[in-house]
C-alpha cells in the first residue's frame, strides 16, 4: 500500500487504473481505524478493483475544539490496518492540501442537516461533512464510496448531496459493527474509562428497549422513545436526543404505521459523546 499526501499524486495514481477500466472504491475515514472501518475496506476490496482509504481528521466538522484536540491519531497503525484489510492507496493529506489559503466554498444540505446531530453540534457540522465528502469524491472520482450505518444522518446527508449535485458515484452502506456486548465501535471509545465503558451500554440498551416496545405492540413514537429513555436511566445516562424519524428525510415520526423507522440516540458518557441507531420495521 502506498501513502500519498497530495491531490495531484492521488489523481496520478488513479489515472492508469481508471483508463484500464478498473473500478475504484473509496472509504473515507478520520483514522483510529477499528473493525467498523475495516469492514468497509473489506467490502470495498470485495467489490472494487482498486481500494482507496482516506485518512483526514476534518477540522471543519468539529464543533468542539477539545474533541478535535483529543481525537485519537496514529497514522502508522492505521496504515498497517488499512493495508491488511486490502487497501492499495492511503490518502492522508495535510489540512492545507484540503483547505488551501482562500478556501471559500461550503456544501450544505438543507433540511436533513438540521435536526438531531445538526441541532446538538450546530449546522456547521454537516456543512463540514458535506464539503469534505464532496471534495474527496471529486479528488478520487471513485465508482463506489463506502460509509457506515453507524452515522445514519451522515449517510442521509451524503446520499442527498450526491443526488442533488449529480455526482457520479454509487453509495454503499455497511452495517454497524459492535463489541460483543453491543456497544457500537467508535474511535472515541478508547477515551471511555472503566465505569464509563459500562455506562456506554446505555445507548444499545435504549435501542433494544425501543425495539421491544414496538414488538409488544406500541405504535406511539413518544411511548417508544420513553421506553428507550427509561432503559438509559438505569445506566445513569441522559440522552441528548432519542428520536424516531423517517430514515431518508429525518422527519419526525409520530405514529408507527408499518414503514421502517430509524431510532437514533446520542449521549455524553463522561467527556465522550456517543451516537447509535437502529432501524425498526415500524410494526404492521
Ligand atoms: P469516522 O472515521 O468516524 O469518520 O468513520 C469513517 C467511516 O466508518 C464512516 O462512514 C463511519 O460511518 C464508519 N464507521 C464508524 N464506526 C463504525 C461502526 N462501528 N460500524 C460500521 N461503520 C462504522
Amino acid at each position: 500500500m502506498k501513502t500519498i499526501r497530495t491531490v495531484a499524486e492521488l489523481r496520478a495514481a488513479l489515472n492508469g487504473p481508471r483508463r484500464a477500466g478498473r473500478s475504484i472504491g473509496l472509504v473515507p475515514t478520520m483514522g483510529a481505524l477499528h473493525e467498523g472501518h475495516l469492514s468497509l475496506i473489506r467490502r470495498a476490496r470485495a467489490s472494487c478493483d482498486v481500494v482507496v482509504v482516506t485518512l483526514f481528521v476534518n477540522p471543519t466538522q468539529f464543533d468542539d475544539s477539545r474533541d478535535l484536540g483529543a481525537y485519537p491519531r496514529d497514522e502508522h497503525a492505521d496504515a498497517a490496518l488499512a493495508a491488511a484489510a486490502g487497501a492499495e492507496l492511503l490518502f492522508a493529506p495535510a489540512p492545507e492540501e484540503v483547505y488551501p489559503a482562500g478556501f471559500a466554498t461550503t456544501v450544505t444540505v438543507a433540511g436533513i442537516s438540521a435536526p438531531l446531530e445538526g441541532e446538538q453540534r450546530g449546522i456547521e457540522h454537516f456543512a463540514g461533512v458535506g464539503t469534505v465528502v464532496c471534495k474527496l469524491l471529486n479528488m478520487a472520482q471513485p465508482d463506489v464510496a463506502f460509509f457506515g450505518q453507524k452515522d445514519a444522518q451522515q449517510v442521509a446527508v451524503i446520499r442527498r448531496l450526491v443526488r442533488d449535485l449529480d455526482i457520479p458515484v454509487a453509495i454503499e452502506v455497511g452495517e454497524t459493527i459492535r463489541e460483543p456486548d453491543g456497544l457500537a465501535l467508535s474511535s472515541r471509545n478508547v477515551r471511555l474509562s472503566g465505569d464509563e465503558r459500562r455506562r456506554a451500554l446505555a445507548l444499545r440498551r435504549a435501542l433494544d428497549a425501543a425495539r421491544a416496545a414496538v414488538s409488544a405492540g406500541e405504535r406511539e413514537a413518544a411511548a417508544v422513545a420513553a421506553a428507550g429513555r427509561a432503559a438509559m436511566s438505569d445506566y445513569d445516562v441522559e440522552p441528548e436526543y432519542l428520536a424516531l424519524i423517517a430514515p431518508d428525510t429525518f422527519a419526525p415520526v409520530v405514529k408507527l404505521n408499518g414503514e421502517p423507522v430509524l431510532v437514533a440516540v446520542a449521549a455524553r458518557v463522561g467527556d465522550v459523546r456517543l451516537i447509535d441507531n437502529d432501524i425498526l420495521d415500524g410494526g404492521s
Side-chain angles (χ1 to χ4, degrees):
M1 191 187 69
K2 201 172 156 198
T3 297
I4 41 191
R5 308 274 171 204
T6 68
V7 179
E9 284 175 289
L10 178 66
R11 293 237 166 95
L14 292 175
N15 227 348
R18 184 174 289 113
R19 284 190 185 182
R22 300 181 72 208
S23 61
I24 297 165
L26 184 77
V27 184
T29 83
M30 297 202 300
L33 299 186
H34 53 61
E35 268 304 312
H37 302 111
L38 300 180
S39 70
L40 295 175
I41 299 171
R42 289 191 203 106
R43 193 172 163 141
R45 172 76 286 147
S47 61
C48 299
D49 298 320
V50 181
V51 177
V52 184
V53 172
T54 70
L55 195 174
F56 182 60
V57 182
N58 177 34
T60 64
Q61 71 189 70
F62 282 81
D63 49 305
D64 178 349
S65 58
R66 276 180 316 155
D67 189 28
L68 175 61
Y71 204 83
R73 296 165 206 243
D74 187 348
E75 183 182 317
H76 192 68
D78 287 343
L81 289 167
E88 269 96 6
L89 293 172
L90 182 70
F91 179 52
E96 311 76 66
E97 180 70 9
V98 180
Y99 301 112
F103 187 85
T105 305
T106 303
V107 179
T108 56
V109 179
I112 299 174
S113 298
L116 308 183
E117 290 298 285
E119 203 170 321
Q120 294 297 327
R121 305 188 65 173
I123 203 74
E124 302 78 19
H125 170 64
F126 283 120
V129 170
T131 304
V132 82
V133 169
C134 196
K135 283 174 67 72
L136 293 171
L137 293 174
N138 282 333
M139 290 169 182
Q141 295 176 258
D143 298 281
V144 190
F146 296 81
F147 297 90
Q149 176 62 23
K150 155 101 183 330
D151 297 277
Q153 194 168 3
Q154 172 171 285
V155 166
V157 165
I158 291 166
R159 281 195 193 282
R160 187 64 67 88
L161 95 79
V162 160
R163 191 200 73 173
D164 287 357
L165 298 181
D166 303 297
I167 301 178
V169 64
I171 301 298
E172 282 209 19
V173 179
E175 62 168 358
T176 301
I177 306 298
R178 299 176 179 282
E179 298 283 3
D181 66 2
L183 176 67
L185 296 191
S186 163
S187 303
R188 293 184 176 87
N189 290 355
V190 295
R191 291 169 48 206
L192 294 167
S193 71
D195 186 52
E196 289 165 356
R197 170 64 184 80
R198 183 190 63 77
R199 291 172 54 228
L201 262 189
L203 285 84
R204 174 71 253 182
R205 293 291 174 263
L207 300 174
D208 292 341
R211 179 177 289 277
V214 175
S215 296
E218 184 57 66
R219 296 292 176 267
E220 296 294 333
V224 174
R229 282 176 179 273
M232 296 182 85
S233 70
D234 292 345
Y235 289 82
D236 202 18
V237 174
E238 176 84 18
E240 279 185 0
Y241 61 75
L242 194 166
L244 277 72
I245 55 248
D248 296 335
T249 61
F250 272 66
V253 167
V254 177
K255 213 174 166 79
L256 284 75
N257 62 1
E259 295 292 314
V261 173
L262 185 77
V263 187
V265 61
R268 259 177 211 284
V269 180
D271 238 10
V272 185
R273 188 170 183 279
L274 300 171
I275 61 171
D276 203 347
N277 69 84
D278 202 0
I279 294 194
L280 304 181
D281 69 8
S284 44

